[in-house]
PDB file of all heavy atoms in Angstrom:
ATOM      1  N   ASP A 107      10.228  23.992  17.220  1.00  0.00           N
ATOM      2  CA  ASP A 107       8.930  23.631  16.661  1.00  0.00           C
ATOM      3  C   ASP A 107       9.064  22.795  15.389  1.00  0.00           C
ATOM      4  O   ASP A 107       8.114  22.200  14.927  1.00  0.00           O
ATOM      5  CB  ASP A 107       8.108  24.888  16.342  1.00  0.00           C
ATOM      6  CG  ASP A 107       7.701  25.628  17.612  1.00  0.00           C
ATOM      7  OD1 ASP A 107       7.614  24.960  18.648  1.00  0.00           O
ATOM      8  OD2 ASP A 107       7.487  26.843  17.549  1.00  0.00           O
ATOM      9  N   ASP A 146      -4.962   8.336 -10.919  1.00  0.00           N
ATOM     10  CA  ASP A 146      -5.268   9.681 -10.431  1.00  0.00           C
ATOM     11  C   ASP A 146      -4.128  10.660 -10.678  1.00  0.00           C
ATOM     12  O   ASP A 146      -4.360  11.854 -10.886  1.00  0.00           O
ATOM     13  CB  ASP A 146      -5.598   9.638  -8.933  1.00  0.00           C
ATOM     14  CG  ASP A 146      -6.938   8.976  -8.647  1.00  0.00           C
ATOM     15  OD1 ASP A 146      -7.771   8.916  -9.582  1.00  0.00           O
ATOM     16  OD2 ASP A 146      -7.158   8.508  -7.518  1.00  0.00           O
ATOM     17  N   ASN A 154       9.866  -3.697 -15.281  1.00  0.00           N
ATOM     18  CA  ASN A 154      11.304  -3.576 -15.082  1.00  0.00           C
ATOM     19  C   ASN A 154      11.833  -4.917 -14.574  1.00  0.00           C
ATOM     20  O   ASN A 154      11.539  -5.324 -13.453  1.00  0.00           O
ATOM     21  CB  ASN A 154      11.610  -2.458 -14.076  1.00  0.00           C
ATOM     22  CG  ASN A 154      13.091  -2.148 -13.968  1.00  0.00           C
ATOM     23  OD1 ASN A 154      13.892  -3.018 -13.666  1.00  0.00           O
ATOM     24  ND2 ASN A 154      13.456  -0.898 -14.213  1.00  0.00           N
ATOM     25  N   GLN A 158      12.030  -6.883 -10.893  1.00  0.00           N
ATOM     26  CA  GLN A 158      11.043  -7.969 -10.815  1.00  0.00           C
ATOM     27  C   GLN A 158       9.652  -7.411 -10.511  1.00  0.00           C
ATOM     28  O   GLN A 158       8.935  -7.907  -9.638  1.00  0.00           O
ATOM     29  CB  GLN A 158      11.429  -8.997  -9.742  1.00  0.00           C
ATOM     30  CG  GLN A 158      12.794  -9.639  -9.953  1.00  0.00           C
ATOM     31  CD  GLN A 158      13.144 -10.563  -8.795  1.00  0.00           C
ATOM     32  OE1 GLN A 158      12.600 -11.663  -8.680  1.00  0.00           O
ATOM     33  NE2 GLN A 158      14.039 -10.136  -7.933  1.00  0.00           N
ATOM     34  N   GLY A 159       9.300  -6.357 -11.227  1.00  0.00           N
ATOM     35  CA  GLY A 159       8.014  -5.747 -10.969  1.00  0.00           C
ATOM     36  C   GLY A 159       7.678  -4.657 -11.969  1.00  0.00           C
ATOM     37  O   GLY A 159       8.424  -4.409 -12.925  1.00  0.00           O
ATOM     38  N   GLY A 164       7.228   9.588 -11.660  1.00  0.00           N
ATOM     39  CA  GLY A 164       7.032  10.904 -12.251  1.00  0.00           C
ATOM     40  C   GLY A 164       6.553  11.863 -11.185  1.00  0.00           C
ATOM     41  O   GLY A 164       6.586  11.564  -9.988  1.00  0.00           O
ATOM     42  N   GLN A 178       6.262  -8.366  -8.824  1.00  0.00           N
ATOM     43  CA  GLN A 178       5.672  -9.485  -9.562  1.00  0.00           C
ATOM     44  C   GLN A 178       6.291 -10.811  -9.123  1.00  0.00           C
ATOM     45  O   GLN A 178       6.320 -11.781  -9.885  1.00  0.00           O
ATOM     46  CB  GLN A 178       5.873  -9.265 -11.066  1.00  0.00           C
ATOM     47  CG  GLN A 178       5.220  -8.001 -11.601  1.00  0.00           C
ATOM     48  CD  GLN A 178       3.702  -8.042 -11.502  1.00  0.00           C
ATOM     49  OE1 GLN A 178       3.052  -8.836 -12.173  1.00  0.00           O
ATOM     50  NE2 GLN A 178       3.131  -7.194 -10.660  1.00  0.00           N
ATOM     51  N   ASP A 207      -3.365  -5.706   2.440  1.00  0.00           N
ATOM     52  CA  ASP A 207      -4.620  -6.119   3.061  1.00  0.00           C
ATOM     53  C   ASP A 207      -4.414  -6.536   4.506  1.00  0.00           C
ATOM     54  O   ASP A 207      -3.346  -7.033   4.873  1.00  0.00           O
ATOM     55  CB  ASP A 207      -5.228  -7.281   2.269  1.00  0.00           C
ATOM     56  CG  ASP A 207      -4.291  -8.495   2.252  1.00  0.00           C
ATOM     57  OD1 ASP A 207      -3.178  -8.371   1.686  1.00  0.00           O
ATOM     58  OD2 ASP A 207      -4.648  -9.548   2.818  1.00  0.00           O
ATOM     59  N   HIS A 227       1.515 -11.405   8.054  1.00  0.00           N
ATOM     60  CA  HIS A 227       1.360 -11.162   6.615  1.00  0.00           C
ATOM     61  C   HIS A 227       2.650 -11.571   5.902  1.00  0.00           C
ATOM     62  O   HIS A 227       3.725 -11.027   6.169  1.00  0.00           O
ATOM     63  CB  HIS A 227       1.060  -9.689   6.367  1.00  0.00           C
ATOM     64  CG  HIS A 227       0.553  -9.398   4.990  1.00  0.00           C
ATOM     65  ND1 HIS A 227       1.382  -9.354   3.890  1.00  0.00           N
ATOM     66  CD2 HIS A 227      -0.698  -9.157   4.533  1.00  0.00           C
ATOM     67  CE1 HIS A 227       0.653  -9.082   2.819  1.00  0.00           C
ATOM     68  NE2 HIS A 227      -0.613  -8.956   3.180  1.00  0.00           N
ATOM     69  N   MET A 233       9.413  -8.584   3.215  1.00  0.00           N
ATOM     70  CA  MET A 233      10.023  -7.254   3.174  1.00  0.00           C
ATOM     71  C   MET A 233      10.962  -7.029   4.349  1.00  0.00           C
ATOM     72  O   MET A 233      12.074  -6.529   4.190  1.00  0.00           O
ATOM     73  CB  MET A 233       8.934  -6.175   3.138  1.00  0.00           C
ATOM     74  CG  MET A 233       8.265  -6.043   1.776  1.00  0.00           C
ATOM     75  SD  MET A 233       7.152  -4.623   1.677  1.00  0.00           S
ATOM     76  CE  MET A 233       8.255  -3.261   2.087  1.00  0.00           C
ATOM     77  N   ILE A 234      10.520  -7.400   5.540  1.00  0.00           N
ATOM     78  CA  ILE A 234      11.365  -7.225   6.726  1.00  0.00           C
ATOM     79  C   ILE A 234      12.657  -8.035   6.573  1.00  0.00           C
ATOM     80  O   ILE A 234      13.755  -7.555   6.883  1.00  0.00           O
ATOM     81  CB  ILE A 234      10.606  -7.642   7.996  1.00  0.00           C
ATOM     82  CG1 ILE A 234       9.481  -6.632   8.293  1.00  0.00           C
ATOM     83  CG2 ILE A 234      11.553  -7.741   9.198  1.00  0.00           C
ATOM     84  CD1 ILE A 234       8.536  -7.063   9.397  1.00  0.00           C
ATOM     85  N   HIS A 236      14.223  -8.958   3.782  1.00  0.00           N
ATOM     86  CA  HIS A 236      15.119  -8.448   2.743  1.00  0.00           C
ATOM     87  C   HIS A 236      15.582  -7.020   3.006  1.00  0.00           C
ATOM     88  O   HIS A 236      16.709  -6.661   2.648  1.00  0.00           O
ATOM     89  CB  HIS A 236      14.441  -8.523   1.368  1.00  0.00           C
ATOM     90  CG  HIS A 236      14.420  -9.897   0.792  1.00  0.00           C
ATOM     91  ND1 HIS A 236      13.433 -10.819   1.101  1.00  0.00           N
ATOM     92  CD2 HIS A 236      15.270 -10.533  -0.060  1.00  0.00           C
ATOM     93  CE1 HIS A 236      13.676 -11.952   0.455  1.00  0.00           C
ATOM     94  NE2 HIS A 236      14.780 -11.809  -0.251  1.00  0.00           N
ATOM     95  N   THR A 239      14.856  -4.451   8.369  1.00  0.00           N
ATOM     96  CA  THR A 239      14.328  -3.643   9.462  1.00  0.00           C
ATOM     97  C   THR A 239      12.805  -3.657   9.407  1.00  0.00           C
ATOM     98  O   THR A 239      12.209  -3.924   8.357  1.00  0.00           O
ATOM     99  CB  THR A 239      14.830  -2.184   9.373  1.00  0.00           C
ATOM    100  OG1 THR A 239      14.276  -1.420  10.459  1.00  0.00           O
ATOM    101  CG2 THR A 239      14.417  -1.532   8.066  1.00  0.00           C
ATOM    102  N   GLU A 269     -19.534  -4.814  -1.059  1.00  0.00           N
ATOM    103  CA  GLU A 269     -18.191  -4.563  -0.520  1.00  0.00           C
ATOM    104  C   GLU A 269     -17.365  -3.730  -1.485  1.00  0.00           C
ATOM    105  O   GLU A 269     -16.570  -2.881  -1.059  1.00  0.00           O
ATOM    106  CB  GLU A 269     -17.491  -5.891  -0.230  1.00  0.00           C
ATOM    107  CG  GLU A 269     -18.057  -6.642   0.954  1.00  0.00           C
ATOM    108  CD  GLU A 269     -17.439  -8.024   1.114  1.00  0.00           C
ATOM    109  OE1 GLU A 269     -16.969  -8.599   0.110  1.00  0.00           O
ATOM    110  OE2 GLU A 269     -17.440  -8.544   2.247  1.00  0.00           O
ATOM    111  N   ILE A 273     -15.007  -0.486  -0.899  1.00  0.00           N
ATOM    112  CA  ILE A 273     -13.590  -0.463  -1.261  1.00  0.00           C
ATOM    113  C   ILE A 273     -13.263   0.742  -2.131  1.00  0.00           C
ATOM    114  O   ILE A 273     -12.213   1.379  -1.958  1.00  0.00           O
ATOM    115  CB  ILE A 273     -13.195  -1.785  -1.958  1.00  0.00           C
ATOM    116  CG1 ILE A 273     -13.112  -2.917  -0.929  1.00  0.00           C
ATOM    117  CG2 ILE A 273     -11.872  -1.652  -2.692  1.00  0.00           C
ATOM    118  CD1 ILE A 273     -12.061  -2.706   0.160  1.00  0.00           C
ATOM    119  N   SER A 280      -7.801   6.458   1.020  1.00  0.00           N
ATOM    120  CA  SER A 280      -6.375   6.151   1.079  1.00  0.00           C
ATOM    121  C   SER A 280      -5.566   7.171   0.279  1.00  0.00           C
ATOM    122  O   SER A 280      -4.506   7.626   0.721  1.00  0.00           O
ATOM    123  CB  SER A 280      -6.100   4.745   0.541  1.00  0.00           C
ATOM    124  OG  SER A 280      -6.758   3.773   1.306  1.00  0.00           O
ATOM    125  N   ARG A 281      -6.060   7.499  -0.919  1.00  0.00           N
ATOM    126  CA  ARG A 281      -5.359   8.490  -1.746  1.00  0.00           C
ATOM    127  C   ARG A 281      -5.254   9.830  -1.007  1.00  0.00           C
ATOM    128  O   ARG A 281      -4.188  10.461  -1.001  1.00  0.00           O
ATOM    129  CB  ARG A 281      -6.091   8.692  -3.074  1.00  0.00           C
ATOM    130  CG  ARG A 281      -5.493   9.799  -3.948  1.00  0.00           C
ATOM    131  CD  ARG A 281      -6.308  10.059  -5.191  1.00  0.00           C
ATOM    132  NE  ARG A 281      -7.687  10.377  -4.904  1.00  0.00           N
ATOM    133  CZ  ARG A 281      -8.109  11.579  -4.486  1.00  0.00           C
ATOM    134  NH1 ARG A 281      -7.236  12.558  -4.297  1.00  0.00           N
ATOM    135  NH2 ARG A 281      -9.389  11.791  -4.269  1.00  0.00           N
ATOM    136  N   LEU A 286      -1.928  13.732   1.757  1.00  0.00           N
ATOM    137  CA  LEU A 286      -1.613  14.529   2.944  1.00  0.00           C
ATOM    138  C   LEU A 286      -0.245  14.148   3.497  1.00  0.00           C
ATOM    139  O   LEU A 286       0.546  15.015   3.900  1.00  0.00           O
ATOM    140  CB  LEU A 286      -2.691  14.337   4.010  1.00  0.00           C
ATOM    141  CG  LEU A 286      -2.492  15.139   5.301  1.00  0.00           C
ATOM    142  CD1 LEU A 286      -2.534  16.646   5.030  1.00  0.00           C
ATOM    143  CD2 LEU A 286      -3.547  14.756   6.340  1.00  0.00           C
ATOM    144  N   LEU A 292       3.574  11.581   7.124  1.00  0.00           N
ATOM    145  CA  LEU A 292       2.628  10.511   7.442  1.00  0.00           C
ATOM    146  C   LEU A 292       2.078  10.615   8.854  1.00  0.00           C
ATOM    147  O   LEU A 292       0.990  10.120   9.141  1.00  0.00           O
ATOM    148  CB  LEU A 292       3.309   9.156   7.242  1.00  0.00           C
ATOM    149  CG  LEU A 292       3.566   8.756   5.788  1.00  0.00           C
ATOM    150  CD1 LEU A 292       4.336   7.442   5.728  1.00  0.00           C
ATOM    151  CD2 LEU A 292       2.256   8.634   5.002  1.00  0.00           C
ATOM    152  N   GLN A 293       2.812  11.264   9.754  1.00  0.00           N
ATOM    153  CA  GLN A 293       2.298  11.435  11.112  1.00  0.00           C
ATOM    154  C   GLN A 293       0.981  12.200  11.102  1.00  0.00           C
ATOM    155  O   GLN A 293       0.034  11.857  11.823  1.00  0.00           O
ATOM    156  CB  GLN A 293       3.329  12.165  11.987  1.00  0.00           C
ATOM    157  CG  GLN A 293       4.616  11.390  12.200  1.00  0.00           C
ATOM    158  CD  GLN A 293       5.709  11.760  11.210  1.00  0.00           C
ATOM    159  OE1 GLN A 293       5.420  12.080  10.058  1.00  0.00           O
ATOM    160  NE2 GLN A 293       6.955  11.715  11.652  1.00  0.00           N
ATOM    161  N   MET A 296      -1.794   9.983   9.733  1.00  0.00           N
ATOM    162  CA  MET A 296      -2.229   9.038  10.759  1.00  0.00           C
ATOM    163  C   MET A 296      -3.260   9.666  11.681  1.00  0.00           C
ATOM    164  O   MET A 296      -4.293   9.070  11.984  1.00  0.00           O
ATOM    165  CB  MET A 296      -1.034   8.573  11.608  1.00  0.00           C
ATOM    166  CG  MET A 296      -0.091   7.632  10.920  1.00  0.00           C
ATOM    167  SD  MET A 296       1.392   7.330  11.930  1.00  0.00           S
ATOM    168  CE  MET A 296       0.681   6.638  13.409  1.00  0.00           C
ATOM    169  N   ASN A 300      -6.713   7.596  10.564  1.00  0.00           N
ATOM    170  CA  ASN A 300      -6.741   6.269  11.179  1.00  0.00           C
ATOM    171  C   ASN A 300      -8.068   5.941  11.855  1.00  0.00           C
ATOM    172  O   ASN A 300      -8.379   4.776  12.078  1.00  0.00           O
ATOM    173  CB  ASN A 300      -5.596   6.111  12.188  1.00  0.00           C
ATOM    174  CG  ASN A 300      -4.308   5.657  11.518  1.00  0.00           C
ATOM    175  OD1 ASN A 300      -4.244   5.531  10.301  1.00  0.00           O
ATOM    176  ND2 ASN A 300      -3.277   5.426  12.307  1.00  0.00           N
TER     177      ASN A 300
END
Side-chain angles (χ1 to χ4, degrees):
D107 292 334
D146 289 339
N154 188 303
Q158 302 176 74
Q178 299 295 293
D207 61 296
H227 194 283
M233 284 188 57
I234 290 171
H236 283 85
T239 179
E269 289 174 334
I273 286 298
S280 299
R281 175 185 56 79
L286 181 63
L292 288 176
Q293 296 95 327
M296 287 172 60
N300 274 4

